[in-house]
Amino acid sequence: MRSIRKPTRASRLVALLTVPTALLLGALPTLASPAENGQVEPSRKSSTEQNGVALMRIVAADKGEVDRLADLGVDLVEYNKPLEDGIEVHAVLSPEETTALRAMGFDVQGKISDQDDYRANVAERKAAIAAVDAAALDNDQLTVLRAEWFTSLDGNRFLSFEVKSDAGADSATVITASWDTGMDTPPASGGTATMSRFTDAGQYMYHRFTSPLALTTAEPNRVTFTSSKGGTVKASVTQWLGKPKEAPDEHYVSDFVDHYMDPTEITERIVGLAAEFPKITQIIDLPNLTNGYRRKAQAQFGTAAASTIYVTTKAWGHEGGNDTSVSLINPGAANQPLTVLVAGKTVIVSLATNGTGALTSTAAQVVAALNADAASSALLTASTYRGNAGAGLVATAGATRLSDNLQAPPSISREPFQMKALRIGRAKDGSKPGVYLYCQQHAREWVTPITCLETAERLLRNYEQDTKTRNLVNGLDIFILPVVNPDGAHYSMYDFNSQRKNMTNHCPDATGDPANRNSWGVDLNRNQNVGSFYDGYNGASSSCTSGTYAGPSEQSEPEAKNEDWLINTYPNIKFSMNTHSYGGYFMWAPGAYKTAGREVLPRTDFGTENFFWNASSKILNAVQSHRGTAIWPGRTGPTTDVLYSAAGNSADAHWYNKGIIAWNFEVGADKYNPATNQWEAVGFQPDFSEGHEEAMEFSSGQIAILEVAKAYAADKSKPTAELVVKSKGAGTTDFTFATSEAANVYYTLDGTEPTTSSLKLGFAGYREGPERITITAKTTVRWLAVDIAGNLGTVQEKVLNVPKS
């Protein structure tokens, strides 16, 4: 486009009369060509054929010389730059035109761009068009879920990224992350890494680093995610955790555990605390006694499955079963029948023989004889091995005393256990918000009960001299159950350290042999009545020997019934924390899904989810404050998002049955080994030096939960919400809301007064922000914010217009 109107052909010819004829006709043949509108257009060939055409600089002496160029029909562009010695203009010229103008005395200088640049631009344009076309078909949309760095033990720093692709269901989708080294540094100066595709129950979740990536440069400011499908997105990198540690009161005391403790010792300890601090404590005896640390006495005879039998006493081992003995003898004569003799608790089986004196009794026959004899069947039950038909011949065996195989000292009672909770608070009348802290649902998690005990000790021993502690105890009703699974925990400490479940044996004879004794029991965190195995949810088993056995029915176990009784008896309980180990997780509902279609329990609403996330910052900073342990961002969130499905877990029962804000800790975060550049797990029962540190840091996290609950109780402020327009297009407007605190937003689109029954703001997706609401016509939006404490904000209103399509 020209900045100066071209002269007519007649005026242009008049101007050229002063130019020598030879130059006019020979050097500028392309400067004249008639046009229908009477203007003169250049007669150059098309640019694809006219080599050498370029955009050139011309320095004119003054405005008159610029006008003269225009009169000559020079292809001037819209560029005019005053200089000290003239005016710079730009013109599109062929080599011949450039030569002619220079011959006329014009100062035509160097090129700005030429056909080589054009061809490069054409190629680039083709590539861009191809990319656009590909994007229309294949380019994926990337959504950044989290982009953070954090510092963990020993000052090591790590990156944790999560990004979701709408094409992620395709296993061929590969996403790489490139990050800088701080503000105004090159985009990939910090490094580039390929992310792992995370799937669960066959469903794509997002891409992430399998483990946080060690950071060897300065902390990044920005990260760029690029997909093999063509998508790309940039995000800011923020710091996860790491807030300055608040200095405790100089009189604050902690560190009250110096060894792993069994349930008997833990229970005696909390009973002692209640006796020492009677004004602010109470022991609650939970109503259901456990099955007890006890087993029936057993013995097994034989090696081959077909010829093996085992016997189980009717009495518990400690109640006489251990005094029972069984022997299988050869009568020493031919043609003898199979007989059973009982003298007191001594059972003698005389095996049958044939005419040659050879033994002929099969396993099935011996079992039948023992169970048919009145005296022996009063003492014991006999079974073939794991459902075998028992056709094999039984061998003789000397007198074998049956045993319950329990190794705990006599000081550990074999009787049903009285579970006890320690209640801490000045006002124990239900008038204060209740917080329920419970530990050791799983027997082998030895760090967890001493974590709960440490918290109880800190609260009671700092009550008099520490103002913050006193405010917590005075303002809350705190329930601490340090051992949910006392029988299994005793078994773990004295018999089989990997015991997870309780000791209740629901197995039939087919799986009741002594070799299975370490597999009996019910997983107490799969025995609750929400999202359970019996409701069709994943993450539990019907097999009585499975580590996640859900039990014969929901809440079949006394331990699970006790947990349920506590939250029903004390309806003021508004918060709970189930402390497990290991791995370093901080989780909340939903905790279960049905595998088919990954049908997750209803997600918490927008306000509650944000409350969980906001609280996690305070709680996990408290954990980190002890020795620097950072719970990874990727291990923080709803259980189904960051771990797995756990059908019938207690946190879900608390939230969905009672609306209790329920968390799960997994103490024992992985430790980074700089020598190997590997994250190393700590296990269920680390050396006590490590277990002690885990108890200290997660007790700090439990104290922080109490502080969150106290702030909730004191919250009287009204939340606010702001309507935020996200985009406008032809015929549509998208908007959402931003809240001043964790709160739900209720809104109407018809101008009516919003209430808590109105439309409710939801999520865009899991681990994503608030949903966008789309309108297609002018709309009056009215909304109301309600925080988790129940405070109602003021109704607000805004009229949104929609661009015409």
Side-chain angles (χ1 to χ4, degrees), residues 404-560:
D404 62 10
N405 294 296
L406 298 178
Q407 305 301 311
S411 59
I412 302 302
S413 172
R414 270 61 173 171
E415 299 303 322
F417 196 90
Q418 175 61 69
M419 294 171 60
K420 296 178 183 289
L422 178 64
R423 187 180 190 182
I424 300 174
R426 189 176 67 176
K428 297 179 290 295
D429 56 6
S431 62
K432 304 295 183 182
V435 183
Y436 173 34
L437 306 176
Y438 56 115
C439 294
Q440 206 171 23
Q441 267 189 331
H442 292 148
R444 62 195 176 193
E445 298 167 6
W446 292 4
V447 176
T448 65
I450 61 174
T451 303
C452 270
L453 177 61
E454 172 70 19
T455 298
E457 293 270 6
R458 291 187 190 183
L459 291 171
L460 297 176
R461 301 201 182 281
N462 288 293
Y463 179 76
E464 292 295 339
Q465 68 265 23
D466 181 66
T467 302
K468 290 182 179 179
T469 301
R470 189 161 53 254
N471 288 339
L472 293 177
V473 173
N474 290 347
L476 297 172
D477 198 357
I478 304 163
F479 301 83
I480 300 179
L481 180 59
V483 182
V484 174
N485 185 1
D487 299 341
H490 279 130
Y491 195 75
S492 176
M493 296 205 80
Y494 296 108
D495 301 281
F496 176 61
N497 71 301
S498 292
Q499 177 77 6
R500 170 184 171 95
K501 304 180 287 181
N502 69 3
M503 289 181 65
T504 307
N505 180 12
H506 292 288
C507 284
D509 288 349
T511 48
D513 59 276
N516 264 331
R517 64 182 176 270
N518 290 339
S519 299
W520 299 329
V522 174
D523 183 343
L524 298 178
N525 206 33
R526 301 296 185 274
N527 192 232
Q528 286 296 344
N529 59 1
V530 172
S532 73
F533 170 82
Y534 296 99
D535 294 328
Y537 285 83
N538 188 60
S541 173
S542 61
S543 169
C544 66
T545 56
S546 167
T548 56
Y549 176 45
S553 62
E554 294 175 348
Q555 293 186 343
S556 62
E557 304 310 291
E559 299 92 338

Side-chain angles (χ1 to χ4, degrees), residues 455-750:
T455 298
E457 293 270 6
R458 291 187 190 183
L459 291 171
L460 297 176
R461 301 201 182 281
N462 288 293
Y463 179 76
E464 292 295 339
Q465 68 265 23
D466 181 66
T467 302
K468 290 182 179 179
T469 301
R470 189 161 53 254
N471 288 339
L472 293 177
V473 173
N474 290 347
L476 297 172
D477 198 357
I478 304 163
F479 301 83
I480 300 179
L481 180 59
V483 182
V484 174
N485 185 1
D487 299 341
H490 279 130
Y491 195 75
S492 176
M493 296 205 80
Y494 296 108
D495 301 281
F496 176 61
N497 71 301
S498 292
Q499 177 77 6
R500 170 184 171 95
K501 304 180 287 181
N502 69 3
M503 289 181 65
T504 307
N505 180 12
H506 292 288
C507 284
D509 288 349
T511 48
D513 59 276
N516 264 331
R517 64 182 176 270
N518 290 339
S519 299
W520 299 329
V522 174
D523 183 343
L524 298 178
N525 206 33
R526 301 296 185 274
N527 192 232
Q528 286 296 344
N529 59 1
V530 172
S532 73
F533 170 82
Y534 296 99
D535 294 328
Y537 285 83
N538 188 60
S541 173
S542 61
S543 169
C544 66
T545 56
S546 167
T548 56
Y549 176 45
S553 62
E554 294 175 348
Q555 293 186 343
S556 62
E557 304 310 291
E559 299 92 338
K561 291 176 182 175
N562 282 338
E563 289 185 73
D564 193 57
W565 175 87
L566 192 69
I567 63 171
N568 281 297
T569 303
Y570 301 98
N572 62 316
I573 292 176
K574 302 298 182 185
F575 299 86
S576 72
M577 166 55 76
N578 186 4
T579 301
H580 285 269
S581 78
Y582 62 95
Y585 288 83
F586 185 61
M587 301 173 292
W588 53 83
Y593 54 70
K594 295 179 180 178
T595 302
R598 201 174 184 276
E599 180 186 337
V600 180
L601 281 168
R603 290 188 173 271
T604 58
D605 57 32
F606 181 75
T608 304
E609 177 84 354
N610 284 330
F611 184 85
F612 277 126
W613 277 108
N614 293 349
S616 71
S617 178
K618 179 177 180 63
I619 294 165
L620 298 183
N621 269 291
V623 171
Q624 190 180 48
S625 70
H626 176 68
R627 59 168 177 167
T629 296
I631 304 305
W632 304 349
R635 291 186 176 179
T636 301
T639 301
T640 52
D641 289 357
V642 302
L643 191 56
Y644 47 47
S645 176
N649 72 81
S650 58
D652 279 348
H654 292 175
W655 168 248
Y656 294 103
N657 284 337
K658 294 293 183 179
I660 294 170
I661 301 294
W663 287 289
N664 292 281
F665 265 152
E666 291 277 351
V667 310
D670 292 355
K671 300 178 72 174
Y672 184 72
N673 185 341
T676 61
N677 294 324
Q678 297 291 325
W679 289 92
E680 298 173 352
V682 297
F684 292 113
Q685 299 138 25
D687 291 341
F688 183 73
S689 59
E690 167 62 24
H692 170 271
E693 294 302 293
E694 293 173 15
M696 294 303 105
E697 60 194 2
F698 281 90
S699 175
S700 296
Q702 289 182 341
I703 295 293
I705 288 169
L706 300 179
E707 292 172 349
V708 168
K710 182 65 169 59
Y712 160 87
D715 183 9
K716 304 300 180 185
S717 61
K718 292 183 177 182
T720 61
E722 177 186 359
L723 188 151
V724 181
V725 175
K726 303 299 290 187
S727 65
K728 290 186 176 183
T732 64
T733 293
D734 290 349
F735 69 94
T736 188
F737 297 95
T739 58
S740 60
E741 59 175 294
N744 284 309
V745 178
Y746 300 88
Y747 64 94
T748 62
L749 302 177
D750 58 4

Side-chain angles (χ1 to χ4, degrees), residues 122-163:
V122 168
E124 184 177 354
R125 179 177 179 274
K126 288 181 178 179
I129 291 173
V132 170
D133 291 341
L137 297 174
D138 298 319
N139 272 17
D140 51 346
Q141 180 73 35
L142 301 184
T143 301
V144 179
L145 305 181
R146 305 192 70 82
E148 292 150 321
W149 68 271
F150 63 89
T151 302
S152 195
L153 289 172
D154 304 320
N156 295 304
R157 296 165 303 140
F158 303 92
L159 294 177
S160 180
F161 298 151
E162 297 172 5
V163 63

